[in-house]
Amino acid sequence: MGQTPFQLVYGMEAVMPMEYIVPSLRITVLTWMTNREALEERLAQLEELEEEWFFAGFHWQVQKKREKSWHD
């Protein structure tokens, strides 16, 4: 599929936790942050991540079909 398991889960390579780049809801609650731009950016990243999950699932299905046809 061309992606690591960490990338599929978090949407990026394992360099540093996502919460340090774009604050999560947990960090927002702990620091009482109400930065609307940061929240909108986080929402955009989550939408992008959902698209990557879809493509990863699609590639997984294609690979399984190839393996099945090869074995049959």
Side-chain angles (χ1 to χ4, degrees):
M1 294 186 296
Q3 297 180 350
T4 64
F6 188 92
Q7 187 177 12
L8 290 174
V9 172
Y10 296 105
M12 60 187 295
E13 287 298 321
V15 177
M16 69 182 325
M18 182 65 122
E19 293 175 343
Y20 291 106
I21 297 171
V22 178
S24 69
L25 182 58
R26 182 180 68 183
I27 299 299
T28 301
V29 170
L30 290 175
T31 61
W32 301 94
M33 181 176 34
T34 58
N35 184 354
R36 184 165 177 84
E37 290 178 6
L39 295 174
E40 289 176 358
E41 184 179 341
R42 177 67 174 152
L43 180 60
Q45 286 182 342
L46 289 173
E47 289 173 351
E48 199 174 296
L49 180 61
E50 184 177 340
E51 183 178 323
E52 288 181 20
W53 283 341
F54 172 77
F55 285 124
F58 177 74
H59 289 293
W60 179 77
Q61 288 176 350
V62 168
Q63 181 63 29
K64 288 296 177 183
K65 287 181 182 179
R66 285 182 188 159
E67 289 175 8
K68 183 181 180 331
S69 66
W70 184 78
H71 287 289
D72 291 344

